[in-house]
């Protein structure tokens, strides 16, 4: 394939328009969402009845569509998060149909809009202004912001009661870092009451208020698999639904409060389900196997019996649907846009499981381990169609996340570059229950990285057309940590590594990341550096930099506040100190005007160009798959 054709493919892929964060208006007749059909992320509003789409913004909203949009209670304007070139230090803005945008809540630190009151006056926001992420109430009429909570650990999941006289939220006051409890308090933050849902060490969170304000929809993972429950505030009793066969996440009450909407995880797919609360009976949505995502709590209802849902499969891009709960029929509101590609141009996902004890056959060069518990690990495999095929293993971020049967633009880009792609839901991933998640606690860089390497060995053994001399590890965020760690722990497996916005020095990360990431990510998974100094040193890739034995490409956004760019700079300096030569042994790129990755089309094109160029030069492959 020619260079011009290569560029055409990656630009066409990166430029496919994407609808993000769809949210229904209070009356359900309109849907607001981010949409980059013009080439830039803009706020659009769809009329549900006519299907017409109107663009409200013209450069006022952020280029990166990471954070959601929320309708005002009167339906006249939409609130959005605005930061500075992707640094996630958001303020809250509002925009109306005329395109007039104005700041509503401006504070230091990161600000997140938690809920909008039905009284048209109240916004509930989280902010790290004073260090930790706590709750604030903003009065729109008075333009005043009042702090409501002052906890040492982050507050999440805050929601306003229907009459705006109470709040519910989740936080942790116990000695167990892994614990989360549900609290209810008065609107001014006074009289907080821990509802004591679940056992200490488990995670319980509020999700939605009942229509009368007398019940709460809650989640809890005490029994291992997450479950959905309805908490009666008068009797302090919980009605749990489901038989416990699946990990289930509650979404919202429906209509008069007799039913609830939830999702269940099954073989890397996300299936919507409606529960009748009294009988406990469940009805799954009739949709193709893939991933279904709902808008914010209470912002997904189009009418009493129709809900807004985004649906995607590995080969079908995101589409917006109105799903009728009575007829099980789906009406397309916004079709999936594949540009001049067809679904046949995209590789489907093969889901499989394999056994792993966390210790692969490939020798460990950094840290030796005895075997861990043998677990069944799930993975997704995308066949490029090239024979023989190079392979990219692409560990997900988080680590508390999972790869799923959804359309993944980076995966399909890599397939177009001629690479088969392997994604591993290593121990510590979500979708398999609390015990599976907790396998990674106090063991970052241990068994979960062994699972990744074992997955590579499994694919090489079962697919003899994979070229074992052209295996690459590529990941972002915690996946970037995995890329660094695989390169220093199992260098014999890889012909190259690409670490994107990854962690390299865990102690330095602890000191420089945002406070709520420190307590919710580092403390939970590793303890503090004072508690576990040896673990922080041992599991930092920078400690073992001398093990890098193949070309490495480091990419990092300069405005990243989750994983600061200092993580990449430190590793770069360590490589230099150990005699590695930039341009020969490793390559390095800092991305300006960008933070922790980006959805902006121009920035995606830039990233695709960097990846394609590195892979073509360093792994001796081309975008041959796109020639077929």
């Amino acid at each position: 394939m020619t260079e011009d054709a290569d560029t055409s493919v990656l630009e066409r892929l990166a430029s496919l328009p994407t609808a993000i964060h769809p949210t229904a208006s209070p009356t359900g007749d309109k849907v607001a969402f981010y949409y980059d059909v013009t080439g830039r992320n803009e706020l659009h509003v769809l009329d549900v009845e006519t299907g017409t789409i109107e663009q409200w913004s013209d450069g006022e909203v952020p280029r990166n569509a990471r954070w959601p949009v929320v309708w005002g209670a009167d339906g006249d304007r939409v609130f959005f998060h605005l930061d500075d070139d992707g640094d996630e230090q958001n303020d809250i803005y509002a925009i109306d149909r005329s395109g007039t945008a104005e700041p509503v809540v401006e504070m230091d630190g990161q600000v997140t809009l938690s809920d909008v009151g039905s009284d048209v006056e109240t916004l509930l926001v989280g902010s790290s202004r004073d260090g930790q992420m706590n709750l604030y109430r903003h009065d729109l009429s008075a333009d005043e912001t009042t702090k409501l909570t002052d906890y040492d650990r982050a507050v999440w999941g805050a929601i306003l009661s229907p009459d705006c006289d109470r709040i519910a939220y989740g936080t942790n006051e116990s000695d167990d870092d892994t614990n989360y409890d549900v609290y209810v308090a008065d609107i001014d933050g006074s009289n907080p009451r821990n509802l004591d849902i679940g056992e200490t060490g488990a995670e319980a969170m509020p999700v939605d208020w009942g229509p009368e304000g007398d019940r709460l929809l809650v989640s809890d993972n005490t029994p291992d698999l997450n479950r959905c429950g309805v908490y009666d505030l008068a009797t302090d009793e919980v009605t749990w639904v489901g038989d416990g066969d699946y990990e289930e996440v509650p979404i919202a009450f429906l209509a008069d409060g007799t039913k609830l909407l939830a999702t269940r995880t099954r073989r890397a797919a996300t299936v919507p389900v409606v529960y009748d609360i009294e009988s406990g009976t469940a009805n799954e949505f009739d949709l193709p196997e893939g991933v279904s995502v709902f808008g914010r709590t209470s912002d997904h209802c189009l009418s009493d019996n129709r809900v807004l849902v985004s649906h995607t499969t590995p080969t079908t891009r995101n589409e917006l649907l109105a799903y009728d709960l009575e007829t099980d029929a789906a009406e397309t509101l916004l079709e999936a846009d594949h540009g001049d590609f067809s679904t046949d141009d995209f590789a489907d996902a093969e889901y499989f499981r394999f056994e792993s004890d966390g210790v692969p056959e490939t020798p460990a060069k950094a840290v030796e381990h005895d075997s861990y518990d043998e677990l069944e690990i799930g993975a997704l495999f995308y066949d490029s169609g090239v024979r023989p095929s190079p392979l990219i293993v692409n560990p997900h971020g988080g680590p508390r996340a999972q790869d799923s049967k959804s359309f993944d633009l980076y995966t399909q880009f890599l397939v177009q570059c001629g690479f088969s792609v392997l994604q591993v839901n290593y121990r510590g991933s979500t979708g398999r229950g609390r015990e599976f998640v907790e396998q990674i606690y106090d063991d970052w860089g241990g068994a979960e990285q062994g699972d990744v390497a074992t997955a590579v060995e499994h694919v090489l053994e079962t697919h003899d057309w994979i070229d074992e001399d052209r295996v690459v590890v590529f990941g972002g965020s915690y996946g970037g940590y995995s890329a660094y760690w695989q390169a220093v722990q199992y260098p014999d497996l890889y012909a190259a590594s690409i670490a994107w916005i990854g962690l390299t020095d865990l102690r330095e990360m602890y000191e420089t990341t945002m406070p709520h990431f420190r307590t919710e990510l580092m403390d939970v998974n590793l303890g503090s550096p004072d508690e576990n100094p040896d673990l922080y040193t041992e599991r930092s890739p920078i400690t073992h930099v001398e093990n890098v034995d193949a070309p490495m490409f480091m990419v990092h956004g300069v405005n990243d506040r989750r994983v600061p760019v200092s993580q990449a700079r430190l590793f770069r300096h360590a490589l230099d100190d150990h005699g590695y030569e930039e341009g020969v042994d490793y390559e390095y790129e800092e991305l300006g005007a960008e933070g922790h990755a980006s959805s902006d089309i121009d920035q995606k094109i830039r990233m695709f160009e960097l990846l394609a160029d590195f892979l073509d030069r360093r792994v001796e492959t081309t975008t041959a798959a796109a020639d077929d």
Side-chain angles (χ1 to χ4, degrees):
M1 172 175 285
T2 66
E3 182 178 347
D4 288 343
D6 289 352
T7 302
S8 171
V9 169
L10 69 87
E11 287 187 355
R12 284 158 48 212
L13 273 173
S15 300
L16 291 175
T18 305
I20 304 178
H21 303 308
T23 175
S25 64
T27 54
D29 61 334
K30 292 181 174 58
V31 177
F33 54 97
Y34 281 144
Y35 198 29
D36 54 10
V37 68
T38 64
R40 186 204 188 278
N41 182 55
E42 300 287 2
L43 181 74
H44 289 69
V45 175
L46 178 147
D47 186 291
V48 174
E49 182 176 353
T50 66
T52 58
I53 299 175
E54 184 178 5
Q55 181 178 326
W56 278 22
S57 69
D58 186 18
E60 294 85 2
V61 300
R63 292 169 62 184
N64 184 8
R66 175 184 293 276
W67 293 87
V69 297
V70 187
W71 280 95
D74 55 11
D76 291 334
R77 57 181 182 168
V78 173
F79 298 103
F80 63 93
H81 300 76
L82 186 63
D83 66 3
D84 185 11
D85 286 335
D87 69 358
E88 296 190 83
Q89 304 306 287
N90 308 313
D91 290 322
I92 307 300
Y93 278 63
I95 189 170
D96 60 21
R97 184 172 183 171
S98 71
T100 300
E102 60 180 356
V104 175
V105 182
E106 295 180 292
M107 289 194 284
D108 292 337
Q110 186 180 83
V111 180
T112 62
L113 182 54
S114 298
D115 204 1
V116 175
S118 59
D119 60 0
V120 193
E121 303 295 334
T122 304
L123 298 184
L124 192 60
V125 300
S127 175
S128 60
R129 182 192 71 182
D130 298 333
Q132 187 54 276
M133 182 66 69
N134 269 284
L135 281 184
Y136 295 75
R137 176 191 180 190
H138 182 80
D139 187 306
L140 288 168
S141 295
D143 192 25
E144 294 179 349
T145 305
T146 306
K147 189 173 185 179
L148 304 180
T149 67
D150 191 20
Y151 292 101
D152 292 332
R153 293 191 180 97
V155 178
W156 298 114
I159 47 177
L160 285 157
S161 63
D163 55 8
C164 296
D165 64 349
R166 287 166 297 165
I167 54 176
Y169 55 87
T171 193
N172 180 19
E173 292 186 287
S174 77
D175 293 331
D176 189 327
D177 288 333
T178 67
N179 184 73
Y180 253 96
D181 290 312
V182 176
Y183 288 74
V184 171
D186 294 338
I187 188 60
D188 61 359
S190 63
N191 301 315
R193 179 165 72 100
N194 185 344
L195 301 187
D196 290 322
I197 299 172
E199 64 185 26
T200 300
E203 297 169 330
M205 291 292 289
V207 176
D208 193 18
W209 285 87
E212 304 300 323
D214 56 348
R215 295 176 300 161
L216 277 175
L217 180 60
V218 297
S219 68
D220 170 57
N221 64 1
T222 292
D224 183 26
L225 295 178
N226 198 74
R227 57 183 176 175
C228 311
V230 177
Y231 188 97
D232 189 310
L233 291 165
T235 64
D236 290 330
E237 295 179 349
V238 187
T239 300
W240 301 106
V241 298
D243 53 18
D245 289 341
Y246 303 102
E247 178 102 331
E248 295 188 334
V249 177
I251 302 298
F253 285 108
L254 292 173
D256 61 359
T258 63
K259 297 180 180 180
L260 65 88
L261 180 65
T263 59
R264 59 176 48 153
T265 301
R266 182 169 61 228
R267 293 178 58 83
T270 302
V271 183
V273 59
V274 175
Y275 275 104
D276 180 279
I277 297 171
E278 183 175 354
S279 67
T281 57
N283 181 47
E284 290 188 358
F285 282 27
D286 184 16
L287 293 172
E289 185 178 64
V291 171
S292 296
V293 178
F294 295 93
R296 290 167 36 87
T297 298
S298 302
D299 292 343
H300 61 274
C301 290
L302 302 174
S303 64
D304 286 348
N305 296 308
R306 293 209 310 166
V307 295
L308 177 67
V309 58
S310 300
H311 183 262
T312 177
T313 74
T315 60
T316 305
R317 287 172 50 76
N318 179 62
E319 59 182 350
L320 301 186
L321 306 174
Y323 193 89
D324 191 305
L325 301 174
E326 290 188 341
T327 65
D328 280 327
E331 175 191 354
T332 301
L333 300 179
L334 184 66
E335 292 184 357
D337 193 335
H338 299 103
D340 58 2
F341 294 93
S342 74
T343 56
D344 292 337
D345 293 322
F346 302 126
D348 204 353
E350 172 198 344
Y351 179 79
F352 68 93
R353 288 186 175 182
F354 62 96
E355 298 293 328
S356 173
D357 64 1
V359 181
E361 294 181 5
T362 302
K365 296 296 179 68
V367 180
E368 295 288 345
H369 296 287
D370 294 328
S371 63
Y372 296 83
D373 293 338
E374 186 165 270
L375 298 177
E376 197 175 46
I377 305 298
L380 295 169
F381 181 75
Y382 296 81
D383 181 355
S384 69
V386 174
R387 299 294 185 270
S389 176
L391 175 70
I392 286 185
V393 57
N394 177 219
H396 64 69
R400 192 158 186 175
Q402 66 170 318
D403 286 309
S404 59
K405 292 180 178 178
S406 60
F407 187 90
D408 187 295
L409 187 63
Y410 277 83
T411 295
Q412 299 300 338
F413 161 70
L414 294 170
V415 169
Q416 292 290 326
C417 288
F419 286 85
S420 295
V421 177
L422 172 64
Q423 297 176 331
V424 187
N425 286 327
Y426 47 78
R427 66 192 73 199
S429 302
T430 56
R432 299 276 298 277
R434 172 184 165 197
E435 292 180 8
F436 195 80
V437 165
E438 291 179 350
Q439 291 285 329
I440 201 173
Y441 289 177
D442 298 322
D443 191 43
W444 273 25
E448 96 284 1
Q449 296 300 322
D451 293 337
V452 173
T454 300
V456 174
E457 294 175 339
H458 175 83
V459 168
L460 291 174
E461 181 179 348
T462 56
H463 299 72
D464 59 8
W465 42 266
I466 294 291
D467 187 345
E468 65 179 10
D469 294 324
R470 292 189 294 161
V471 179
V472 179
V473 57
F474 161 55
S477 195
Y478 191 80
Y481 168 81
S482 295
Y484 281 117
W485 188 256
Q486 293 287 313
V488 300
Q489 177 77 331
Y490 307 112
D492 293 346
L493 268 181
Y494 301 107
S497 60
I498 305 171
W500 180 27
I501 51 178
L503 297 72
T504 67
D505 186 324
L506 298 180
R507 181 180 290 273
E508 202 266 351
M509 169 73 176
Y510 190 90
E511 299 298 330
T512 56
T513 190
M514 290 181 280
H516 44 295
F517 282 92
R518 183 179 306 127
T519 56
E520 307 308 296
L521 182 68
M522 309 293 285
D523 284 339
V524 168
N525 287 281
L526 288 163
S528 72
D530 291 338
E531 295 169 334
N532 296 314
D534 293 342
L535 186 63
Y536 269 75
T537 299
E538 179 187 85
R539 303 301 170 86
S540 291
I542 199 169
T543 302
H544 314 285
V545 66
E546 71 278 1
N547 290 337
V548 173
D549 194 31
M552 173 179 281
F553 186 25
M554 292 175 281
V555 187
H556 217 110
V558 298
N559 294 323
D560 196 339
R561 294 295 297 272
R562 297 188 183 212
V563 182
V565 68
S566 55
Q567 291 289 302
R569 291 172 178 173
L570 286 169
F571 201 86
R572 178 191 194 184
H573 294 325
L575 285 169
D576 290 341
D577 290 344
H578 281 78
Y580 292 88
E581 184 179 350
E582 184 171 357
V584 177
D585 303 305
Y586 75 90
E587 299 180 24
Y588 184 89
E589 187 80 25
E590 290 187 2
L591 305 179
E594 186 170 328
H596 200 67
S598 177
S599 65
D600 179 70
I601 287 177
D602 287 343
Q603 292 175 343
K604 284 188 292 188
I605 290 174
R606 177 179 60 181
M607 186 64 183
F608 282 2
E609 289 174 340
L610 290 170
L611 291 175
D613 176 64
F614 177 81
L615 291 170
D616 277 345
R617 289 184 292 101
R618 296 294 196 157
V619 194
E620 298 181 358
T621 187
T622 67
T623 51
D627 283 333
D628 299 335

